[in-house]
């Protein structure tokens, strides 16, 4: 396992981390992800630690807190061997203060997460979405106080736009508060929007990407291609509307390239897709999920080897789409490109 700094921080994280969204699964979305109980979770944690994967990601909305509870039980007795990443801000109830990032909500959310996880601190705490109803100064100052109190070690965001991140970072810079060092983002071979604005921002501002859904919301498993429709047992039938959309032709082009390279390397389609992500600029860690030991071991096989530059180029070409305005002139026109050369293919 390789290890990288999380953004501009000194925290070392493994290039693969484990997503605990499958733990304690319940509800219309998370029950499709997985229903891993405490005993099964302990076994998956064992396998991760043996492989050098010690970062585990969860959130308070995953199965109404059950994911955090199961993870807390699974790491009991070995808290000093793991890093915990969790998130808050999305609604956890119908009350007016059960959503968002107000001072009251953040303090209550952190205290509740600490209790569910059975720990006295969270290593990486991220806002799960931008709260436009709360001033950024209130949000960032509250997070800074929680860091000073020792309840949070590092902070970050997830699902923010570029201007939302920069407004928050500017407030932190202005007041000397703790800065974000992590950006948990959707990024895959069938979803490269991260590259247009958030990747350059991450490089400039020292934000390390923690990548969620590296297999395109379950589409890059090798079970779907031009000649293979979505299997009857696929979770996509129940979860596709919750995740990022993908045009079929783009999916098929990417899978065609993945299948060719998988055959050349003796690796699986998911392993090739994850390996491509590990090589991308600003990526600190790719979050892998697994409902059982076999899936986990397969995903762990995505590292410890490298694609050739020629193979990376083929995957880049197969997954390329036209950038949205105002980004496309910088890709297409020489004068624009000279001013801001792209940092990714």
């Amino acid at each position: 396992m390789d290890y990288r700094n999380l953004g501009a921080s000194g925290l070392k994280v493994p290039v693969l981390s484990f997503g605990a969204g499958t733990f304690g699964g319940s509800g219309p979305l998370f029950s499709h992800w997985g229903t891993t109980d405490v005993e099964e979770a302990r076994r998956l944690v064992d396998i991760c630690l043996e492989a050098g994967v010690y970062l585990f990601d969860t959130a308070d909305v995953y199965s109404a807190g059950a994911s955090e509870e199961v993870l807390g039980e699974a790491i009991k007795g070995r808290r000093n061997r793991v890093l915990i990443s969790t998130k808050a801000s999305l609604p956890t109830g119908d009350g007016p203060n059960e959503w968002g990032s107000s001072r009251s909500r953040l303090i209550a959310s952190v205290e509740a997460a600490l209790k569910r996880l059975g720990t006295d601190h969270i290593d990486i705490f991220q806002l799960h979405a931008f709260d436009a109803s709360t001033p950024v100064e209130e949000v960032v100052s509250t997070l800074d106080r929680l860091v000073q109190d020792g309840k949070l070690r590092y902070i970050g965001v997830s699902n923010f736009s570029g201007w939302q991140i920069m407004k928050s970072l500017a407030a932190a810079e202005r007041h000397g508060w703790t800065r974000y060092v992590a950006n948990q983002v959707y990024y895959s071979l069938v979803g490269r929007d991260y590259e247009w604005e958030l990747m350059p921002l991450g490089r400039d501002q020292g934000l390390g990407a923690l990548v969620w859904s590296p297999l395109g919301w379950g589409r890059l498993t090798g079970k779907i291609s031009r000649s293979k429709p979505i299997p009857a047992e696929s979770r996509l039938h129940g979860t596709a509307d919750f995740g990022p959309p993908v045009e079929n032709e783009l999916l098929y082009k990417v899978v065609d390239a993945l299948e060719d390279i998988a055959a050349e390397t003796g690796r699986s389609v998911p392993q090739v897709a994850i390996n491509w992500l590990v090589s991308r600029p600003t990526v600190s860690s790719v979050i892998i999920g697994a409902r059982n030991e076999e899936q986990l071991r397969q995903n762990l096989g995505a590292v410890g080897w490298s694609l050739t530059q020629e193979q990376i180029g083929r995957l880049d070409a197969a997954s390329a789409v036209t950038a949205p305005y105002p980004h496309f002139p910088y890709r297409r026109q020489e004068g624009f490109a000279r001013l801001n050369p792209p940092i990714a293919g």
Side-chain angles (χ1 to χ4, degrees):
M1 188 60 56
D2 291 330
Y3 303 92
R4 299 174 179 174
N5 284 55
L6 178 60
S9 80
L11 183 67
K12 294 288 193 300
V13 295
V15 295
L16 295 183
S17 45
F18 185 85
T22 56
F23 288 4
S26 63
L29 173 59
F30 301 111
S31 62
H32 286 285
W33 284 12
T35 56
T36 303
D37 61 19
V38 172
E39 183 178 354
E40 293 170 319
R42 286 198 188 100
R43 178 57 183 155
L44 295 178
V45 170
D46 289 341
I47 295 168
C48 284
L49 293 178
E50 289 168 4
V53 173
Y54 53 78
L55 172 58
F56 297 87
D57 180 73
T58 183
D60 60 358
V61 295
Y62 293 171
S63 300
S67 173
E68 289 180 328
E69 292 175 350
V70 172
L71 177 60
E73 288 295 321
I75 64 171
K76 189 171 288 185
R78 44 189 174 177
R79 175 65 180 92
N80 63 339
R81 297 180 59 193
V82 306
L83 297 176
I84 296 174
S85 162
T86 194
K87 303 176 286 295
S89 289
L90 291 176
T92 55
D94 296 327
N97 289 305
E98 292 181 288
W99 58 271
S101 303
S102 68
R103 178 174 291 112
S104 176
R105 174 79 196 294
L106 285 178
I107 292 172
S109 295
V110 168
E111 294 292 349
L114 291 172
K115 183 176 181 180
R116 287 190 293 266
L117 289 161
T119 185
D120 63 356
H121 72 279
I122 295 165
D123 299 289
I124 307 170
F125 182 80
Q126 295 132 107
L127 304 177
H128 215 157
F130 183 73
D131 176 6
S133 68
T134 301
V136 295
E137 288 81 6
E138 179 178 338
V139 177
V140 184
S141 65
T142 302
L143 293 173
D144 179 71
R145 173 47 56 192
L146 290 165
V147 171
Q148 301 308 317
D149 289 344
K151 295 178 180 180
L152 309 179
R153 296 290 192 260
Y154 296 90
I155 57 174
V157 298
S158 182
N159 307 312
F160 276 42
S161 69
W163 75 264
Q164 292 164 348
I165 294 174
M166 283 308 306
K167 186 171 183 178
S168 303
L169 290 174
E173 189 77 21
R174 187 163 56 248
H175 297 283
W177 295 327
T178 306
R179 286 170 55 92
Y180 298 141
V181 295
N183 186 11
Q184 190 166 142
V185 297
Y186 170 60
Y187 188 25
S188 78
L189 274 165
V190 291
R192 295 176 59 182
D193 293 349
Y194 169 68
E195 295 175 4
W196 309 138
E197 185 165 332
L198 294 174
M199 179 183 281
L201 186 155
R203 172 169 281 185
D204 182 70
Q205 294 295 315
L207 294 177
L210 300 174
V211 177
W212 60 265
S213 203
L215 299 181
W217 206 250
R219 294 177 175 89
L220 301 179
T221 60
K223 298 178 181 179
I224 304 171
S225 69
R226 291 183 191 276
S227 60
K228 294 183 291 186
I230 299 176
E233 72 278 7
S234 173
R235 70 184 188 185
L236 278 169
H237 295 293
T239 65
D241 289 343
F242 290 99
V246 178
E247 294 291 335
N248 283 340
E249 184 54 32
L250 173 63
L251 174 61
Y252 297 150
K253 282 176 59 180
V254 169
V255 172
D256 287 344
L258 284 170
E259 289 179 337
D260 288 345
I261 294 170
E264 294 168 7
T265 59
R267 303 288 176 171
S268 69
V269 165
Q271 287 170 345
V272 174
I274 294 170
N275 192 277
W276 178 86
L277 278 169
V278 168
S279 72
R280 309 308 284 176
T282 73
V283 170
S284 292
S285 188
V286 176
I287 303 169
I288 58 173
R291 285 182 285 182
N292 53 55
E293 180 176 339
E294 180 184 358
Q295 285 184 345
L296 177 55
R297 293 193 184 279
Q298 275 289 316
N299 287 337
L300 290 172
V303 297
W305 56 281
S306 299
L307 294 164
T308 67
Q309 287 303 308
E310 187 272 339
Q311 290 167 337
I312 290 173
R314 284 153 58 193
L315 292 171
D316 289 348
S319 59
V321 298
T322 300
Y325 177 83
H327 306 290
F328 72 79
Y330 293 91
R331 297 293 178 110
R332 290 184 172 185
Q333 299 177 32
E334 182 180 354
F336 283 86
R338 190 176 299 170
L339 288 168
N340 290 278
I343 63 173

